[in-house]
Amino acid sequence: SYNQQGLWLLNQLMEGAPIYHSPTAAKLTGALDVAALQKALKTIFARHAALRTIFKIDDGTPVQLVSDVPLDVPLIDLTERSESDREVEAQRILGNVASLPFDLTQGPLIRAVIVRMQEQEHLLMVNMHHIVTDGWSIGVLHRELSALYQAYVKGQPSPLPELPIQYPDYAVWQRQELDEAADEKQLAYWKKQFATLPPVLELPTDRPRPAVQAYRAFPGAQHTLCLPKQLTQDLKR
């Protein structure tokens, strides 16, 4: 799709940078059926072609291919360590899952890990590259994972219906709808709209901008203020 093409290009410019990773983590308390959770994650992986997509170069053009690379969901047991060691090691593991670069040509572009902190406490980390997911998809992941886990714990089959449309189907439709002629028409329109604008928007700053963005955490300053409750209610309304 066009969105994937843009993210693919950004990945070529900033290869290895975790800027477009979409990690989500949860603390799971109480009895956990690890096998059921692993099976649920693997079912979601097999169910959605987007998650099994990789990106290769075909005659100089990036194309998406649905691969058969399996998803591994390891369980890492830290119960034998001291409490302080568990916390440090858990943060290291989750940090690696969140920041380890994805290889768009190999996949999978999703990774998951379960960390056992105590018998009744586990951590789950799922990380996906933004090229195969978005904010809306995270909600789908949570809903399907919950439904599948509850079913598998009870020994029941998947309650989810088959998907009539996959993301590659949408990508094909998008390419057919927005053909080259439509692209040229859109491009000509916006070139006309922006014809009188300066080529570069120079905003005054107190620091020189680097040639390559560093993406340091909180590179600037923060200012916090409280707005009156009535004002925030009026704004929302």
Side-chain angles (χ1 to χ4, degrees), residues 207-229:
R207 297 286 190 276
R209 174 176 290 186
V212 178
Q213 193 168 353
Y215 291 101
R216 294 190 303 272
F218 305 112
Q222 290 182 321
H223 180 69
T224 303
L225 71 158
C226 293
L227 301 176
K229 183 177 180 181

Side-chain angles (χ1 to χ4, degrees), residues 41 44-46 48-53 67 108-110 128 132-133 141:
L41 287 164
I44 291 174
F45 180 69
H48 293 279
L51 297 179
R52 293 181 284 111
T53 297
S67 75
L109 303 183
I110 174 177
M128 295 173 280
V132 298
T133 189
L141 171 69

Side-chain angles (χ1 to χ4, degrees), residues 24-26 28 32-49 51-52 69-75 97 108 110-115 122-128 137-138 140-153 158 160:
T24 179
L28 310 174
L32 179 69
D33 187 329
V34 172
L37 181 58
Q38 291 170 321
K39 183 179 179 182
L41 287 164
K42 292 179 180 181
T43 297
I44 291 174
F45 180 69
R47 172 178 167 80
H48 293 279
L51 297 179
R52 293 181 284 111
V69 176
L71 178 67
D72 184 32
V73 186
L75 169 66
V97 173
I110 174 177
R111 62 175 66 105
V113 65
I114 303 168
V115 180
H122 295 76
L123 303 176
L124 170 65
M125 167 71 88
V126 178
N127 188 19
M128 295 173 280
S137 303
I138 299 297
V140 175
L141 171 69
H142 290 168
R143 291 195 299 273
E144 292 193 353
L145 184 59
S146 176
L148 288 167
Y149 177 76
Q150 293 180 59
Y152 291 161
V153 164
S158 167
L160 302 178

Side-chain angles (χ1 to χ4, degrees), residues 167-182:
Y167 192 81
D169 299 320
Y170 165 76
V172 170
W173 170 85
Q174 185 189 58
R175 288 287 177 175
Q176 291 172 341
E177 288 292 304
L178 300 176
D179 57 18
E180 188 172 342

Side-chain angles (χ1 to χ4, degrees), residues 15-193:
E15 191 170 4
I19 306 305
Y20 292 100
H21 291 190
S22 300
T24 179
K27 178 183 285 186
L28 310 174
T29 56
L32 179 69
D33 187 329
V34 172
L37 181 58
Q38 291 170 321
K39 183 179 179 182
L41 287 164
K42 292 179 180 181
T43 297
I44 291 174
F45 180 69
R47 172 178 167 80
H48 293 279
L51 297 179
R52 293 181 284 111
T53 297
I54 59 175
F55 298 84
K56 300 279 191 178
I57 300 298
D58 181 17
D59 195 24
T61 301
V63 296
Q64 63 171 342
L65 302 171
V66 179
S67 75
D68 56 359
V69 176
L71 178 67
D72 184 32
V73 186
L75 169 66
I76 301 176
D77 194 331
L78 302 180
T79 55
E80 298 298 322
R81 296 176 178 244
S82 66
E83 183 176 354
S84 59
D85 283 350
R86 282 200 302 268
E87 294 295 333
V88 171
E89 181 63 10
Q91 290 302 316
R92 186 192 68 80
I93 293 169
L94 298 187
N96 283 344
V97 173
S99 61
L100 189 67
F102 287 101
D103 184 347
L104 301 190
T105 66
Q106 298 297 324
L109 303 183
I110 174 177
R111 62 175 66 105
V113 65
I114 303 168
V115 180
R116 176 172 288 156
M117 303 293 284
Q118 300 180 58
E119 193 62 35
Q120 298 280 314
E121 180 183 324
H122 295 76
L123 303 176
L124 170 65
M125 167 71 88
V126 178
N127 188 19
M128 295 173 280
H129 195 285
H130 192 23
I131 202 169
V132 298
T133 189
D134 57 15
W136 182 273
S137 303
I138 299 297
V140 175
L141 171 69
H142 290 168
R143 291 195 299 273
E144 292 193 353
L145 184 59
S146 176
L148 288 167
Y149 177 76
Q150 293 180 59
Y152 291 161
V153 164
K154 299 173 184 176
Q156 299 173 349
S158 167
L160 302 178
E162 290 294 321
L163 295 173
I165 297 175
Q166 293 279 355
Y167 192 81
D169 299 320
Y170 165 76
V172 170
W173 170 85
Q174 185 189 58
R175 288 287 177 175
Q176 291 172 341
E177 288 292 304
L178 300 176
D179 57 18
E180 188 172 342
D183 284 351
E184 290 298 326
K185 183 179 178 181
Q186 293 284 340
L187 185 59
Y189 171 83
W190 286 110
K191 282 183 174 180
K192 180 180 178 182
Q193 298 303 309

Side-chain angles (χ1 to χ4, degrees), residues 227-237:
L227 301 176
K229 183 177 180 181
Q230 186 62 48
L231 175 58
T232 59
Q233 290 177 341
D234 290 345
L235 286 169
K236 289 177 181 178
R237 185 169 61 249

